[in-house]
Amino acid sequence: MSPTLALTRRRFLKFGLTASGALLVGYRCSAAARATVPSELLGDDLVSLTAFVMIERDNRVVIGARGCEIGQGVITSLPMLIAEELDVEWSRVRVIQLPYGYEEVDGKPSNRYGDQFAGGSTSIQTAWKDLREAGALARWLLLQAAANAWSVPVENLRTEAGHVLNVDGRTLSYGALARTAAALPMPANAPAPKDPDSFKLVGKPIRAADGRRIVTGQNRYGIDEYLSGALVAVMLRCPYLDGTLESLDDSEARKVRGVRDVVRIEGPKPGEPFDGPLAAGVAVLADNTWAALQGRNALKPVWKQGPWAEESSAALAARANALLDEDKDGIEVRKDGDLAKSRKRARHSLSARYEVPFLAHATLEPPGALIELRQDGALLIASMQNPSGASRVISELTGLPRDRIEIRLPRSGGGFGRRLENDFVAEAVQIAKLAGKPVKLMWTREDDLAHDFYRPFGVHALSATLDRRNRVEGWTHRCAATSRTYRTARMQDDPAWTGCLEPDDFPAGLVDDLEKTFFPVQSGMPRGWWRAPLHTFHAFAVQSFIDEIAYEVRRDAVELRLEMLGEAREISYRGHGGPVFDTGRMANVLRLCAEKIHWKEKRTDGRGIGIACHFTFGGYTAHAFEVSMDGERLRIHRAICVVDVGRVVNPLGLEAQMMGGTIDGISTALNLAITVRDGQVEQKNFPQYPLLKMADAPKKVEVHIVESTRDPVGGGEMGIASVAPALANAIFATTTVRIRKLPLLPELMRML
Amino acid sequence: MKAGNEAAGAANAAPAKTQPEQLPVRINDKPYYPDGDPQMPLLWYLRDVLRLTGTKFGCGIGACGACTVLIDGKAARACLTPMQAVSGRAITTIEGLEGAQLHPVQQAWLEHDVAQCGYCQAGQIMAAIDLLARKRKPSDDDIGEIANLCRCGTYPRIRSAIQRAAVLMAEGNS
Ligand code: FES
Ligand code: FES
């Protein structure tokens, strides 16, 4: 790579600096020469030791955080892994957020920072390998530099707290070594990271790296970014699924003081994948948000209802149930043994149906994007989870090569899967193209609830057969749902049940005769990933049903689960989080959870307890709740969450994720649903989508983290799937009302 | 990005020119004479005009509390407060809390590592300051009166941080 005329100024500057001695090296040895660091990292007294590490002369260290921070803590946990391998004191580390690191290597898209995607709870797992190696590489360079300086074999040296220590007692600080270290050639092979048992930092509770900026209001989220010359855009989108704009009177809107322009945005073609905006609409551009909102209020559009004008939640539920009743043409998801036989033999058989609603993500920071398009490049600043998707979207819409698109990754006000989509980026690009100006697109809460990629809606029909010793022998799980794959371009080759049913999820592999079948339900609602998507979608049904079985045959609900899990062993799990499911780890968190809630203790005070467990993306979680009814109010006296995610990088962060997951789970299970009527989403704002308030949340979530030496998985999505069934089971224990439909509270009020 | 006739950007909006007929709105101890749309909610004046973006937008209808600021020391929803209602009043935003050191509530928030995404936290902190001004030793129920939403589920840590702040403030006063 050599500087050419085609290089942008910024890139050229960086390259120039590189040439002048502050060598920038990549985290992959092979890509060493190509790696660059963001301009804010460059300074006179800073030496870059990898794409992630800068060392100051006074021995302070700057570490770049590559992940999209959406509240899951990667701005802290990922740099911790690097700091650990580098052997520096955390108190001397300053963390900065890295931008999206797109580059082309041999003409192929690549990323100089590795994986920056925030989805599927994979950040920790990936970083456990490559970021530790990045830290180890930087440390290796410093060791070599010291060995050269002292002319001693590197074996005589070790590192500690930002210094290289010689056996003869001499020491050199990293700051003193950085310049020579940066000039060294890369090793042929990646230096091995530390033995995890020798960790000093990883495994200790560490507070958010940018906590001070948060509590002082200095942190800038996507929504907080401005650009001179940019106009604020607010859109009025067609409220009908796949509807269109028939006509528009924007004369009043244009009269609003501060309004500069009104432009029309095409919606997706009905039936075709969503790869741009979700809905047809009109954008009002103005000097500020208030003027844009006023302008939007003054628009007089005539909408044409689309092909889904009749769609309603009631009809969808009826359709799903009819498909399950007819039981024809289901898609086989998994089939083991011979169900007919176990049915014949069965001493008991049981069936039940459970309904789960559409859900919106409702990130507290609504979607939005700030975009500047130039002849030779583009700048995007937005809260997101999927910057490479955003880069593709911009490139496709503008024709700009991806390496000319600069994307910054501010902290996001929540993600939960909403920002895996980049519809809002596509909107901003289209508006900016039409307006010929940089655009700061703002979504309101109303926009957000009415135009989301919703968690699918579905009905689960479960049945089980038990032998004469009341052991579960046969299991059927039939699910009729609005398939997740609907109009998702990258999922066109995936089976329709993807994201709704998982062939290998519990109790697959644990009962002899098992069938899982899927029935797609047609719907015009856009669908997406919602925190622990598949798992929050079906664990409620499975784990409620286990309790129903236990109750029916008078068995202990924990014992029954343990019996089904059987002896501790690894069984095959092909879904995300596999390749194995460890029955022993699942049993262990369940047992621990039962112990913490005093499962065996009979409650005589009107309180009831419920429990559930679930395997999510490689993590094992159990929840238990102790609840009572206080008139019409459900009181949660105790909330327990036990989790095993392998080795823990930041226990304080993991505890937060489990606490947050548990409360998200409670909030969603008790009250949240998105419903459709006449082809429109009914919920407008928080009063109709009532997130849990502090007064109704448990005062404490007792989080217990299982100590483990296994390689870690993430934590962002492991704390939620078992919440809804554990709550439903607890409500049953205290009220004897079995709720089979989410959200729980409206159903409970109806049934009490 | 100009707001009506107001000067664009924080630099031009402050400090006040002399306009005797209009009482200034004091924001973080500086006087301002906004001359844009008097209906513009304080939230957008803070954010789009002054670029005080610590105060967040979450719902625009008073339901989430992300926009909570102190008006004459009391918690209020900036999204529901038109500019015409604040002339002559004193407003404190999250950016105005920190003096020589962090406010004890901010300090407690840090100690308890409350924030997850952090987006609601400025509003939560302002609500907590309001509560602690009224109740020096708030009970669990008192704390439960704070109706600010947190999508990430940080409520238990908010509770413990408020209790901790109460202790810090009591120590500071003694
Ligand atoms: S933005 Fe003001 S209360 Fe939600
Ligand atoms: S910390 Fe994310 S909304 Fe409260």
Side-chain angles (χ1 to χ4, degrees):
Chain A
M1 198 168 78
S2 61
T4 67
L5 285 179
L7 283 173
T8 65
R9 191 177 139 71
R10 219 173 77 79
R11 218 171 153 81
F12 183 78
L13 266 180
K14 269 197 247 168
F15 200 81
L17 225 129
T18 307
S20 76
L23 185 68
L24 311 167
V25 294
Y27 79 98
R28 283 159 301 183
C29 302
S30 62
R34 292 190 181 88
T36 51
V37 291
S39 51
E40 47 290 23
L41 265 184
L42 300 173
D44 288 344
D45 277 342
L46 290 166
V47 178
S48 298
L49 217 42
T50 66
F52 301 99
V53 177
M54 302 275 299
I55 296 178
E56 299 188 44
R57 259 197 241 278
D58 68 359
N59 215 25
R60 278 182 305 185
V61 177
V62 181
I63 296 184
R66 73 170 172 202
C68 294
E69 176 59 66
I70 53 175
Q72 85 283 43
V74 289
I75 199 169
T76 311
S77 56
L78 302 191
M80 279 174 73
L81 289 170
I82 297 173
E84 174 70 62
E85 292 295 337
L86 189 59
D87 248 345
V88 289
E89 289 165 302
W90 186 251
S91 58
R92 298 191 62 83
V93 169
R94 182 162 61 90
V95 172
I96 58 132
Q97 175 70 46
L98 295 168
Y100 175 52
Y102 183 85
E103 63 180 358
E104 271 157 33
V105 178
D106 304 327
K108 290 206 191 69
S110 177
N111 188 322
R112 68 179 68 102
Y113 304 123
D115 190 3
Q116 296 187 285
F117 181 84
S121 295
T122 53
S123 298
I124 289 284
Q125 221 171 341
T126 313
W128 183 252
K129 197 168 173 340
D130 70 354
L131 289 188
R132 283 176 63 212
E133 278 177 6
L137 171 62
R139 180 171 160 274
W140 184 90
L141 289 167
L142 291 158
L143 276 168
Q144 296 300 319
N148 294 348
W150 286 321
S151 303
V152 295
V154 78
E155 291 70 39
N156 289 6
L157 309 178
R158 63 188 181 88
T159 56
E160 197 181 302
H163 290 80
V164 179
L165 281 59
N166 193 330
V167 279
D168 65 13
R170 286 182 289 176
T171 68
L172 273 171
S173 75
Y174 285 0
L177 289 165
R179 256 166 218 281
T180 45
L184 289 174
M186 290 292 117
N189 299 311
K194 287 181 184 174
D195 172 359
D197 288 335
S198 68
F199 283 167
K200 296 190 193 95
L201 172 66
V202 166
K204 300 265 171 350
I206 299 292
R207 300 185 181 105
D210 55 349
R212 193 180 171 109
R213 294 173 57 79
I214 296 176
V215 302
T216 53
Q218 299 302 323
N219 230 329
R220 295 174 85 86
Y221 295 73
I223 198 174
D224 300 331
E225 294 292 347
Y226 293 79
L227 202 65
S228 84
L231 293 174
V232 173
V234 167
M235 273 186 74
L236 184 64
R237 295 172 190 78
C238 180
Y240 301 101
L241 301 167
D242 278 342
T244 47
L245 180 66
E246 192 156 84
S247 64
L248 174 71
D249 174 0
D250 61 10
S251 52
E252 291 303 313
R254 288 181 184 273
K255 284 184 204 148
V256 171
R257 191 165 70 160
V259 168
R260 301 290 161 192
D261 205 353
V262 177
V263 297
R264 297 181 188 202
I265 300 298
E266 293 273 310
K269 305 236 173 340
E272 283 183 17
F274 298 105
D275 51 3
L278 261 182
V282 182
V284 177
L285 292 113
D287 293 336
N288 58 62
T289 314
W290 177 242
L293 289 170
Q294 300 284 97
R296 177 167 88 166
N297 284 344
L299 289 172
K300 294 191 198 93
V302 178
W303 302 111
K304 202 168 143 201
Q305 298 185 344
W308 306 101
E310 311 279 292
E311 177 150 330
S312 75
S313 286
L316 285 173
R319 179 76 194 123
N321 280 301
L323 283 169
L324 293 168
D325 293 341
E326 290 160 17
D327 199 15
K328 278 204 305 256
D329 306 324
I331 303 168
E332 182 180 304
V333 179
R334 176 165 173 158
K335 193 167 191 285
D336 297 345
D338 187 348
L339 260 176
K341 237 191 229 156
S342 64
R343 263 190 212 123
K344 231 178 273 161
R345 268 205 312 269
R347 182 67 164 270
H348 275 289
S349 60
L350 215 75
S351 348
R353 284 189 191 181
Y354 303 85
E355 190 181 313
V356 291
F358 288 117
L359 291 176
H361 300 83
T363 55
L364 202 59
E365 176 196 3
L370 176 64
I371 188 121
E372 179 189 37
L373 302 177
R374 298 181 313 269
Q375 209 66 48
D376 61 345
L379 167 68
L380 168 71
I381 312 180
S383 292
M384 64 185 104
Q385 294 180 254
N386 179 8
S388 75
S391 150
R392 272 196 305 274
V393 163
I394 299 169
S395 176
E396 275 160 27
L397 289 172
T398 59
L400 287 167
R402 289 179 66 187
D403 56 5
R404 297 296 174 72
I405 300 166
E406 179 188 349
I407 299 182
R408 295 192 205 144
L409 305 175
R411 192 174 246 278
S412 297
F416 311 105
R418 175 64 182 91
R419 303 183 208 273
L420 293 172
E421 312 294 338
N422 284 295
D423 54 310
F424 47 91
V425 173
E427 285 179 348
V429 172
Q430 296 197 7
I431 299 168
K433 275 171 80 174
L434 291 167
K437 287 218 161 92
V439 162
K440 175 177 164 67
L441 172 67
M442 297 280 293
W443 279 50
T444 61
R445 181 61 52 201
E446 289 82 1
D447 300 337
D448 175 51
L449 290 180
H451 302 283
D452 196 352
F453 293 80
Y454 304 95
R455 196 282 302 276
F457 158 88
V459 178
H460 299 273
L462 292 174
S463 52
T465 57
L466 288 86
D467 66 12
R468 50 192 179 77
R469 293 170 64 190
N470 287 330
R471 289 180 307 205
V472 178
E473 229 184 18
W475 185 276
T476 321
H477 188 160
R478 296 179 307 130
C479 169
T482 60
S483 174
R484 162 67 189 94
T485 61
Y486 172 74
R487 292 173 77 180
T488 306
R490 58 189 176 278
M491 293 181 76
Q492 289 312 295
D493 296 331
D494 294 343
W497 42 262
T498 310
C500 291
L501 268 187
E502 175 61 47
D504 297 347
D505 257 333
F506 181 88
L510 301 171
V511 294
D512 291 339
D513 306 312
L514 173 134
E515 269 180 37
K516 292 191 183 186
T517 318
F518 187 73
F519 302 84
V521 176
Q522 302 308 314
S523 158
M525 292 281 276
R527 273 92 85 178
W529 300 120
W530 191 100
R531 197 177 198 175
L534 156 76
H535 303 288
T536 40
F537 182 74
H538 79 253
F540 166 65
V542 173
Q543 289 289 317
S544 295
F545 190 52
I546 298 274
D547 255 51
E548 295 211 45
I549 297 170
Y551 182 77
E552 178 73 17
V553 300
R554 293 168 199 279
R555 292 198 54 186
D556 180 275
V558 171
E559 290 303 319
L560 179 63
R561 284 178 174 86
L562 292 173
E563 179 186 273
M564 290 179 77
L565 288 166
E567 64 181 274
R569 67 205 186 280
E570 289 184 340
I571 62 175
S572 158
Y573 186 90
R574 288 159 295 175
H576 178 42
V580 294
F581 165 70
D582 186 327
T583 58
R585 292 173 79 183
M586 188 86 268
N588 183 48
V589 294
L590 177 64
R591 260 192 224 105
L592 202 57
C593 191
E595 190 185 298
K596 298 290 176 194
I597 197 86
H598 309 301
W599 178 254
K600 296 277 180 202
E601 227 167 71
K602 283 276 153 293
R603 270 46 171 194
T604 51
D605 47 6
R607 295 185 183 187
I609 52 172
I611 200 164
C613 58
H614 193 74
F615 175 66
T616 303
F617 299 166
Y620 300 80
T621 311
H623 276 98
F625 297 99
E626 179 168 320
V627 307
S628 69
M629 294 305 294
D630 177 0
E632 294 219 322
R633 189 155 172 213
L634 177 78
R635 291 204 180 270
I636 302 175
H637 304 282
R638 287 186 73 200
I640 295 179
C641 172
V642 181
V643 67
D644 173 359
V645 289
R647 238 180 241 280
V648 178
V649 175
N650 182 6
L652 196 61
L654 181 64
E655 192 213 47
Q657 289 307 302
M658 293 303 128
M659 173 186 80
T662 302
I663 289 178
D664 187 4
I666 296 170
S667 174
T668 309
L670 291 183
N671 287 311
L672 301 184
I674 289 289
T675 54
V676 209
R677 200 171 165 165
D678 301 329
Q680 302 176 64
V681 170
E682 291 188 283
Q683 288 67 31
K684 301 281 180 240
N685 203 319
F686 286 129
Q688 296 86 41
Y689 200 71
L691 301 182
L692 197 71
K693 294 206 166 92
M694 186 142 60
D696 297 318
K699 294 192 178 61
K700 199 171 154 196
V701 177
E702 301 166 49
V703 176
H704 301 275
I705 299 171
V706 173
E707 271 196 45
S708 169
T709 54
R710 296 181 193 249
D711 283 358
V713 293
E717 293 168 280
M718 286 62 173
I720 185 165
S722 41
V723 172
L727 261 182
N729 294 339
I731 291 172
F732 177 77
T734 183
T735 61
T736 70
V737 176
R738 173 55 64 180
I739 307 170
R740 300 198 182 97
K741 181 180 174 185
L742 293 174
L744 298 169
L745 276 188
E747 269 303 279
L748 181 62
M749 291 310 125
R750 195 177 63 79
M751 292 168 80
L752 268 182
Chain B
M1 242 164 282
K2 288 176 51 168
N5 289 333
E6 284 126 352
N12 294 340
K17 5 179 183 83
T18 325
Q19 288 190 349
E21 72 281 4
Q22 190 190 356
L23 284 173
V25 46
R26 295 193 70 82
I27 298 174
N28 298 337
D29 275 339
K30 284 198 202 106
Y32 295 88
Y33 293 89
D35 58 357
D37 183 352
Q39 294 299 324
M40 180 191 271
L42 173 62
L43 172 66
W44 300 119
Y45 184 77
L46 292 172
R47 292 181 55 83
D48 286 352
V49 182
L50 303 188
R51 303 283 162 83
L52 290 171
T53 53
T55 305
K56 303 300 189 208
F57 165 67
C59 69
I61 60 164
C64 75
C67 65
T68 307
V69 296
L70 301 179
I71 302 183
D72 294 335
K74 291 199 185 65
R77 304 285 203 237
C79 70
L80 293 183
T81 309
M83 287 310 290
Q84 67 185 17
V86 292
S87 71
R89 328 241 341 232
I91 287 152
T92 309
T93 72
I94 188 81
E95 292 94 341
L97 287 183
E98 198 180 3
Q101 48 190 1
L102 288 179
H103 187 285
V105 173
Q106 291 173 310
Q107 183 61 40
W109 243 249
L110 271 188
E111 282 179 26
H112 285 261
D113 197 38
V114 175
Q116 284 183 38
C117 85
Y119 193 77
C120 71
Q121 300 299 343
Q124 307 280 6
I125 287 171
M126 301 318 272
I129 289 173
D130 168 87
L131 172 71
L132 288 164
R134 289 181 285 114
K135 315 232 160 142
R136 277 200 276 168
K137 278 191 178 171
S139 67
D140 284 345
D141 285 348
D142 294 335
I143 296 176
E145 281 169 22
I146 294 179
N148 289 36
L149 301 177
C150 175
R151 175 69 181 84
C152 299
T154 63
Y155 298 132
R157 287 194 185 172
I158 290 177
R159 284 185 179 277
S160 41
I162 290 177
Q163 300 292 10
R164 171 69 182 146
V167 172
L168 287 174
M169 288 165 87
E171 282 169 4
N173 289 337
S174 64

